[in-house]
């Protein structure tokens, strides 16, 4: 089976992890600080604050914006549930703006229409490795005096007009095992605002600036040096790994370009794609359904995944939730029926890619 994702850490990560173990400093320490510096450089920001996972990054980013009961955060309905859970955990109300089919990200026009008197934060999601249209979204937030939190969990290194995703407001990143850069579990918050960075560092450490000097009601959001040691060597190799993903995506697109009823992902003008996922749509014009394609791919040894099978609020635990406002999202509702992600990771061989292309073509009946 060709897997949808692969986790491989090299000898450099092993050596650095052993160094941490032997040092006796395995909680937050100098390795976390080093990871933060190198991560900030990669994104192109002044500050990066490490936390224990990507959901925590979202929650903490919202918490330092001082949301009050009744304040609304507008985000995408096409995202992993952590986006919604973080809004609820921060005490805010979640609203949603529909996506565009060409980038799977929130539509700036729909986002503008969703802004109301209680809106306090816009939270675009940079999905699958391609960022949302921040050239339109960032000015929208500025015009209305709104906070801007970028859910960049899947798009580390992607750019908009040459500017890094996660550099327009508070950027939040996941370093989960299957991400393009991983520490197993982990997260990062990026910003150019020194005041917000300082508050985040105090918040993640039980509200302490120094031992027993409490400045706010805080939490234990810390990352460990042992986790940071796994991530640091990947930063140096990150550009090359993304290039391999880009090359793999190009080979998939070339091989699948003429398949009837299959809509392929694209890298849009002015934006770079880091190909966390290669997601196609099995449209209504295809001779088979999306679920039939998945079954046939599995039979032929090609791993695939549905990210995501429903709008994020279309579950019993959210349908009647008083702080979840589920506005209609017709584009998202169509995409969740049609989307399927194919292997594109940088560990694929040429033979693997040929097998994926052949399997998809056969599954769709091309």
């Amino acid at each position: 089976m060709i897997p949808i994702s692969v986790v491989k850490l090299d000898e450099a990560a092993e050596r650095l992890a052993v160094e941490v173990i032997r040092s006796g400093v395995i909680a937050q320490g100098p390795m976390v600080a080093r990871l933060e510096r190198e991560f900030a450089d990669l994104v192109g920001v002044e500050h990066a604050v490490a936390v224990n996972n990507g959901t925590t990054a979202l929650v903490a980013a919202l918490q330092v914006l001082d949301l009050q009961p009744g304040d609304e955060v507008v985000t995408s309905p096409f995202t992993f549930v952590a986006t919604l859970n973080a809004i609820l955990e921060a005490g805010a109300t979640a609203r949603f703006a529909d996506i565009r089919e060409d980038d799977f990200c929130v539509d700036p026009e729909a986002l503008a229409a969703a802004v109301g008197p209680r809106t306090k934060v816009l939270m675009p999601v940079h999905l699958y490795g391609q960022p949302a249209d921040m050239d339109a979204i960032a000015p929208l937030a500025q015009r209305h005096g709104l906070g801007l939190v970028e859910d960049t969990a899947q798009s580390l290194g992607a750019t908009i007009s040459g500017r890094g995703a996660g550099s327009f407001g508070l950027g939040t990143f996941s370093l989960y095992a299957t991400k393009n850069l991983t520490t197993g579990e982990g997260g990062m918050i990026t910003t150019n605002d020194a005041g917000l960075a300082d508050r985040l560092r105090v918040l993640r450490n039980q509200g302490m600036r120094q031992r027993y000097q409490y400045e706010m009601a805080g939490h234990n959001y810390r990352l460990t040096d042992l986790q940071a040691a796994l991530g640091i060597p990947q930063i140096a190799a990150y550009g090359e790994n993304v290039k391999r993903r880009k090359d793999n995506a190009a080979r998939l697109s070339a091989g699948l370009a003429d398949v009837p009823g299959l809509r392929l992902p694209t890298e849009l003008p002015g934006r770079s794609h880091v190909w966390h996922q290669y997601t196609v749509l099995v449209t209504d014009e295809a001779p088979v359904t999306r679920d039939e394609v998945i079954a046939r791919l599995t039979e032929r040894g090609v791993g695939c995944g549905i990210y995501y099978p429903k709008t994020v609020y279309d579950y019993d635990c959210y349908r009647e939730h008083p702080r979840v406002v589920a506005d209609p999202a017709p584009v998202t509702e169509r995409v969740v029926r049609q989307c399927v992600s194919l292997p594109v990771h940088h560990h694929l061989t040429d033979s693997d890619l040929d097998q994926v292309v052949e399997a998809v073509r056969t599954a769709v009946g091309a």
Side-chain angles (χ1 to χ4, degrees):
M1 178 70 71
I2 298 173
I4 186 71
S5 63
V6 170
V7 179
K8 288 185 180 180
L9 299 176
D10 62 14
E11 292 181 358
E14 182 180 347
R15 286 195 300 270
L16 211 55
V18 171
E19 181 182 325
V20 170
I21 292 169
R22 291 175 176 171
S23 76
V25 181
I26 59 174
Q28 181 177 298
M31 284 294 177
V32 170
R34 177 180 168 185
L35 177 65
E36 290 175 331
R37 290 192 301 271
E38 296 185 15
F39 198 96
D41 289 343
L42 181 59
V43 176
V45 293
E46 293 295 323
H47 307 278
V49 180
V51 291
N52 54 6
N53 59 61
T55 306
T56 294
L58 287 164
V59 173
L62 291 170
Q63 286 174 329
V64 296
L65 294 179
D66 297 324
L67 295 176
Q68 302 300 312
D71 288 349
E72 294 181 351
V73 178
V74 185
T75 191
S76 170
F78 191 51
T79 182
F80 183 56
V81 73
T83 309
L84 174 52
N85 285 340
I87 295 170
L88 299 178
E89 186 172 343
T93 296
R95 295 195 74 106
F96 303 90
D98 207 358
I99 65 170
R100 285 175 20 182
E101 191 175 293
D102 59 353
D103 63 4
F104 300 112
C105 298
V106 67
D107 184 338
E109 292 185 4
L111 195 62
V115 172
R118 293 188 173 183
T119 306
K120 296 299 179 183
V121 176
L122 303 183
M123 186 185 282
V125 179
H126 305 312
L127 200 67
Y128 297 147
Q130 180 157 242
D133 185 359
M134 297 307 296
D135 286 338
I137 295 171
L140 174 65
Q142 187 172 20
R143 283 198 306 273
H144 292 277
L146 303 175
L148 184 58
V149 175
E150 301 170 67
D151 185 339
T152 325
Q154 300 181 6
S155 300
L156 172 61
T159 60
I160 309 96
S161 300
R163 185 172 171 180
S167 70
F168 290 80
L170 282 165
T172 63
F173 297 80
S174 170
L175 304 178
Y176 179 66
T178 58
K179 295 299 188 290
N180 290 16
L181 189 151
T182 178
T183 58
E185 287 280 8
M188 197 74 72
I189 308 164
T190 55
T191 180
N192 286 312
D193 187 317
L196 287 178
D198 180 68
R199 291 193 65 196
L200 286 164
R201 292 189 177 102
V202 173
L203 175 67
R204 75 173 170 188
N205 191 35
Q206 298 289 9
M208 292 188 293
R209 184 170 299 282
Q210 298 177 7
R211 192 165 180 80
Y212 303 129
Q213 179 185 332
Y214 301 103
E215 297 188 359
M216 66 173 70
H219 305 268
N220 177 1
Y221 288 160
R222 297 184 299 266
L223 188 72
T224 69
D225 262 24
L226 195 55
Q227 290 168 293
L230 302 181
I232 287 169
Q234 295 171 59
I235 291 180
Y238 193 71
E240 179 58 30
N241 290 341
V242 168
K243 182 180 182 302
R244 290 178 188 168
R245 287 174 176 266
K246 288 178 179 288
D247 291 344
N248 292 347
R251 286 194 55 157
L252 291 174
S253 292
L256 300 174
D258 61 343
V259 175
L262 202 66
R263 177 159 185 175
L264 306 183
T266 58
E267 184 175 72
L268 296 178
R271 288 183 257 176
S272 71
H273 202 312
V274 295
W275 299 102
H276 175 63
Q277 298 289 352
Y278 183 94
T279 301
V280 303
L281 297 180
V282 182
T283 69
D284 294 339
E285 288 70 42
V288 292
T289 67
R290 186 268 310 275
D291 291 348
E292 287 173 328
V293 169
I294 290 173
R296 293 175 182 180
L297 289 177
T298 302
E299 289 174 0
R300 295 179 68 84
V302 173
C304 52
I306 303 174
Y307 311 109
Y308 299 95
K310 295 184 178 183
T311 54
V312 72
Y313 48 73
D314 188 19
Y315 296 88
D316 289 344
C317 57
Y318 301 118
R319 287 192 187 99
E320 304 300 326
H321 197 292
R323 291 189 284 117
V324 177
V325 182
D327 297 313
V331 177
T332 303
E333 289 163 7
R334 180 176 68 254
V335 167
V336 297
R337 292 188 289 103
Q338 299 178 343
C339 66
V340 58
S341 296
L342 306 173
V344 74
H345 56 82
H346 54 275
H347 299 293
L348 293 169
T349 65
D350 289 348
S351 176
D352 291 335
L353 291 164
D354 290 342
Q355 183 178 338
V356 172
V357 168
E358 181 184 0
V360 173
R361 296 183 66 88
T362 301
V364 181

